[in-house]
Amino acid sequence: MPRPSVLKRMFADERVQIGYGLLLILLIPSAIIVATVATIARYSQTIDITLQRQALLVGRVFGATVWEQGIAPVTLQRRVEAVAAANADILGLQVFTPHRDGFEIIASVVPEQVGTVAASAYYTYAWQQAEREGLATDYLGEPLLGSRAGASTGDRYWLVTLPLFADVEGDGHRERVALLSLQLSSGIVDEQAAASWRSAVIGLTFTVLLTVLFLAAATRLWSYATLYRKIKEVDQMKDEFISIASHELRTPITAIRGYVSMAIDGDFGSVPEKLRTGLERINGAGKRLGDLVEDLLNVSRIEQGRLSVSFQPLDLGEVTGGVIEELRPTAVQKQLTCEYVAPTSPVKVMADPDRLKQVLFNLVGNAIKYTPKGSVTVTVSLQEHGGCVRVKDTGLGISAADQARLFTKFYRVASDQTRAISGTGLGLWITRQLVSLMRGEITLESIEGTGTQVTVVLPTPKSAAT
Ligand code: ADP
């Protein structure tokens, strides 16, 4: 179980993550909406100005025609039709002259309208207002050039109403003679604005979708990270537990073994043969238990980086010889030949004496343990790369598949011959860690059924110094 502080931190982390996600979901689409609206507004404004100019230009063309040629209905009608044909945006174009019942249409895009009279307050007002060229305001005070929605279609159009002047008296004096009404469709602008809006909505949808997918992936990564942290914490707690438990086990095991040894030695009085056998078994089991605890302690020390190595120049031949002498009785008990090929001259290495002994005990111990008959040969020599110890046996050997996993924790070869041999599967893992802590190298060659050879090379004081 993660501790409460861990849970609290995880929860706080997730809250930050959710907040960040929501902020992204709100911010990105909002930024896109604002940018799109601004672009469309700017675009519409530009097109509207262009339309206004176009409308005024048409007005001026008619102004010039009337100024030069007077109100000649046939000429005006021809011009109206020509302008309308050249400009698809023109919805309506009429020229009015004042009439006693209102205004009479004298030229129009729709020829049938010519001759009709309309009484319109709008035109009357425009007529009265139109003292100067250019824009007039309508009777509501709005510019006469303005955007309206079509009564039937609802489409927007620009309505322009301009007075037309002529020199009636021929004295150069300008007189209002007609009124021009022009309706310009803004359909193209509106259609383009709608298209821009549609593509913005599609873009927006994709962006929101991508943001959500990205956040989903990020959340998954986040939970993996949280899980990884949790696993690391549990792993650390396991290491601490093993370390504490091993320490606590070591003391009673030492006491049990000590008292059993004393009993075997007769310190508590004579020991009948049957009891001696039992006590020796207890001692053997106690030793195995002690070895296991020692291995576990070593594993936890190595994993927590608590295993210190103090380098010093050592005589590799001497240390190896000592270890062999300690283990020789076990080999002899198994009727194995235990040969030590010492170097002709001292082989100095830079290593930690206790760790080096531990390595040699493991390797020579394994060679004896996994060799039912034959020999164990240990050779020490000086090589190009450093001091070398070679432990060779004629034992069970290890298959290629098992060799690949041999140096992993708790790995033991499972076969009929190894089943009866007790062990933890930690020895080789610890050995490899110790060798690499001493900046050495370990290699293993083995043929199943023939034997095994393990080689350890350690730096010499000279090579360690460079
Ligand atoms: P343990 O000996 O406690 O099982 P080790 O890590 O020392 O653990 O060895 C792992 C396994 O490698 C052993 O279980 C054994 O099967 C195999 N092994 C190690 N050394 C030898 C050897 N010299 N000959 C044959 N098998 C070996």
Side-chain angles (χ1 to χ4, degrees), residues 6-17 222:
V6 179
L7 283 175
K8 230 161 125 186
R9 209 171 56 229
M10 273 162 50
F11 184 62
D13 282 353
E14 258 153 39
R15 262 207 326 221
V16 170
Q17 165 78 354
W222 197 271

CSV table of all heavy atoms in Angstrom, one decimal, residues 6-17 222:
chain,number,residue,atom,x,y,z
A,6,VAL,N,2.1,9.7,-0.3
A,6,VAL,CA,2.2,9.3,-1.7
A,6,VAL,C,0.9,9.5,-2.4
A,6,VAL,O,0.8,10.1,-3.5
A,6,VAL,CB,2.7,7.8,-1.8
A,6,VAL,CG1,2.8,7.5,-3.3
A,6,VAL,CG2,4.0,7.6,-1.1
A,7,LEU,N,-0.2,9.0,-1.7
A,7,LEU,CA,-1.5,9.1,-2.3
A,7,LEU,C,-1.9,10.5,-2.5
A,7,LEU,O,-2.4,10.9,-3.6
A,7,LEU,CB,-2.6,8.4,-1.4
A,7,LEU,CG,-2.6,6.9,-1.4
A,7,LEU,CD1,-3.5,6.4,-0.4
A,7,LEU,CD2,-3.0,6.4,-2.8
A,8,LYS,N,-1.6,11.3,-1.5
A,8,LYS,CA,-1.9,12.8,-1.6
A,8,LYS,C,-1.2,13.4,-2.7
A,8,LYS,O,-1.8,14.2,-3.5
A,8,LYS,CB,-1.5,13.4,-0.3
A,8,LYS,CG,-2.6,14.3,0.4
A,8,LYS,CD,-2.2,14.5,1.8
A,8,LYS,CE,-2.2,16.0,2.2
A,8,LYS,NZ,-1.7,16.1,3.5
A,9,ARG,N,0.1,13.1,-2.9
A,9,ARG,CA,0.9,13.7,-4.0
A,9,ARG,C,0.3,13.3,-5.3
A,9,ARG,O,0.2,14.1,-6.3
A,9,ARG,CB,2.3,13.3,-3.8
A,9,ARG,CG,3.3,14.3,-4.4
A,9,ARG,CD,4.7,14.0,-4.0
A,9,ARG,NE,5.1,12.7,-4.5
A,9,ARG,CZ,5.7,11.8,-3.7
A,9,ARG,NH1,6.0,12.1,-2.5
A,9,ARG,NH2,6.1,10.6,-4.2
A,10,MET,N,0.0,11.9,-5.5
A,10,MET,CA,-0.6,11.4,-6.7
A,10,MET,C,-1.8,12.2,-7.1
A,10,MET,O,-2.1,12.6,-8.2
A,10,MET,CB,-0.9,9.9,-6.6
A,10,MET,CG,0.3,9.1,-6.9
A,10,MET,SD,0.1,7.4,-6.3
A,10,MET,CE,-1.5,7.0,-6.9
A,11,PHE,N,-2.7,12.4,-6.0
A,11,PHE,CA,-4.0,13.0,-6.3
A,11,PHE,C,-3.8,14.5,-6.7
A,11,PHE,O,-4.4,14.9,-7.7
A,11,PHE,CB,-4.9,13.0,-5.0
A,11,PHE,CG,-6.2,13.5,-5.2
A,11,PHE,CD1,-7.1,13.0,-6.1
A,11,PHE,CD2,-6.6,14.7,-4.5
A,11,PHE,CE1,-8.4,13.5,-6.3
A,11,PHE,CE2,-7.9,15.2,-4.7
A,11,PHE,CZ,-8.8,14.6,-5.6
A,12,ALA,N,-2.8,15.1,-6.0
A,12,ALA,CA,-2.5,16.5,-6.4
A,12,ALA,C,-2.0,16.6,-7.8
A,12,ALA,O,-2.4,17.4,-8.6
A,12,ALA,CB,-1.5,17.1,-5.4
A,13,ASP,N,-1.1,15.6,-8.2
A,13,ASP,CA,-0.6,15.6,-9.6
A,13,ASP,C,-1.7,15.5,-10.6
A,13,ASP,O,-1.7,16.1,-11.6
A,13,ASP,CB,0.3,14.4,-9.7
A,13,ASP,CG,1.7,14.7,-9.0
A,13,ASP,OD1,1.9,15.8,-8.6
A,13,ASP,OD2,2.5,13.8,-8.9
A,14,GLU,N,-2.7,14.5,-10.3
A,14,GLU,CA,-3.7,14.3,-11.2
A,14,GLU,C,-4.6,15.5,-11.4
A,14,GLU,O,-5.1,15.8,-12.5
A,14,GLU,CB,-4.5,13.1,-10.8
A,14,GLU,CG,-4.2,11.9,-11.7
A,14,GLU,CD,-4.4,10.6,-11.0
A,14,GLU,OE1,-5.4,10.4,-10.3
A,14,GLU,OE2,-3.5,9.7,-11.1
A,15,ARG,N,-4.8,16.3,-10.3
A,15,ARG,CA,-5.7,17.5,-10.3
A,15,ARG,C,-5.0,18.5,-11.2
A,15,ARG,O,-5.7,19.1,-12.1
A,15,ARG,CB,-5.9,18.0,-8.9
A,15,ARG,CG,-7.2,17.5,-8.4
A,15,ARG,CD,-7.8,18.5,-7.4
A,15,ARG,NE,-6.7,19.1,-6.6
A,15,ARG,CZ,-6.8,19.3,-5.3
A,15,ARG,NH1,-7.9,18.9,-4.6
A,15,ARG,NH2,-5.9,20.0,-4.6
A,16,VAL,N,-3.7,18.7,-11.1
A,16,VAL,CA,-3.0,19.6,-12.0
A,16,VAL,C,-3.2,19.2,-13.4
A,16,VAL,O,-3.4,20.0,-14.3
A,16,VAL,CB,-1.5,19.6,-11.6
A,16,VAL,CG1,-0.7,20.4,-12.6
A,16,VAL,CG2,-1.3,20.2,-10.2
A,17,GLN,N,-3.0,17.9,-13.7
A,17,GLN,CA,-3.2,17.3,-15.0
A,17,GLN,C,-4.5,17.6,-15.6
A,17,GLN,O,-4.6,18.1,-16.8
A,17,GLN,CB,-2.9,15.8,-14.9
A,17,GLN,CG,-3.3,15.0,-16.1
A,17,GLN,CD,-2.2,15.2,-17.2
A,17,GLN,OE1,-1.3,16.0,-17.1
A,17,GLN,NE2,-2.4,14.5,-18.3
A,222,TRP,N,0.8,9.6,-18.1
A,222,TRP,CA,0.9,10.1,-16.8
A,222,TRP,C,0.6,9.0,-15.8
A,222,TRP,O,1.3,8.8,-14.8
A,222,TRP,CB,-0.2,11.2,-16.6
A,222,TRP,CG,0.1,12.1,-15.4
A,222,TRP,CD1,-0.4,11.8,-14.1
A,222,TRP,CD2,0.8,13.3,-15.3
A,222,TRP,NE1,0.0,12.8,-13.3
A,222,TRP,CE2,0.7,13.7,-14.0
A,222,TRP,CE3,1.5,14.0,-16.2
A,222,TRP,CZ2,1.3,14.9,-13.6
A,222,TRP,CZ3,2.1,15.2,-15.8
A,222,TRP,CH2,2.0,15.6,-14.5
